[in-house]
Amino acid sequence: MSETEELASVRELSRKYLDDGGLQYLLDKDGHLVLPFGNIMVHVICHQWGEDQVVVAVTAVTNQNMRIDPDLGMFLAEKNAQILFGKLCLYRDLNQVRFEHPLLGDFLNRDELVTAVKVVAASALSIGPEIQQRWGGI
């Protein structure tokens, strides 16, 4: 499946904005942008949304291989109620918790993308240790 012009354009714009913002990134095997922040890797992934729109997902794994129980679910729900920017997501099938924030590609700008990357990294670094201490994993 070939990518749309919109998707290709937003991918290129994302690279430019990260370059302009002074953030260094790598490309993974799928061409997604990966930015290291300590032991956290922030991923910037452009997704086709509908026929002509693109969503830019800024995401980082906070924890994996932890014990999943109702208390973890309640913890994530309560944390999400306190978070103003981004959200915590449980991927039960992958045994992962991620901190994520989506951006609309149609309205993407440099400051918004750079801020999203930094907030996702800081949030993952902040929340990850608490989850690990209470539910194990890495």
Side-chain angles (χ1 to χ4, degrees):
M1 180 169 99
S2 64
E3 71 180 41
T4 64
E5 283 184 37
E6 292 84 6
L7 183 58
S9 175
V10 172
R11 278 192 176 148
E12 185 57 37
L13 192 59
S14 296
R15 288 186 201 106
K16 178 186 180 332
Y17 286 163
L18 294 175
D19 287 337
D20 291 350
L23 296 175
Q24 295 183 354
Y25 58 86
L26 308 167
L27 293 176
D28 71 9
K29 64 179 177 48
D30 297 317
H32 304 304
L33 307 170
V34 182
L35 298 94
F37 287 86
N39 64 339
I40 293 292
M41 301 298 257
V42 175
H43 299 260
V44 176
I45 304 169
C46 300
H47 298 281
Q48 190 69 45
W49 188 40
E51 290 184 25
D52 61 355
Q53 291 183 302
V54 176
V55 171
V56 179
V58 182
T59 182
V61 174
T62 65
N63 302 84
Q64 55 189 2
N65 301 326
M66 66 276 154
R67 185 178 73 256
I68 297 176
D69 61 21
D71 288 339
L72 174 61
M74 185 60 72
F75 172 83
L76 297 175
E78 289 173 350
K79 279 288 189 191
N80 276 332
Q82 299 167 7
I83 294 170
L84 296 176
F85 188 97
K87 64 183 176 179
L88 287 161
C89 300
L90 174 63
Y91 289 85
R92 189 180 191 114
D93 58 329
L94 299 173
N95 200 336
Q96 290 182 343
V97 173
R98 297 181 192 172
F99 194 89
E100 302 179 345
H101 187 73
L103 304 169
L104 293 173
D106 290 353
F107 306 103
L108 191 65
N109 68 63
R110 185 193 70 215
D111 292 338
E112 180 181 40
L113 179 59
V114 169
T115 298
V117 167
K118 290 178 179 178
V119 169
V120 166
S123 298
L125 287 165
S126 168
I127 294 168
E130 185 176 359
I131 293 173
Q132 184 180 20
Q133 181 180 24
R134 294 175 66 182
W135 288 278
I138 54 173

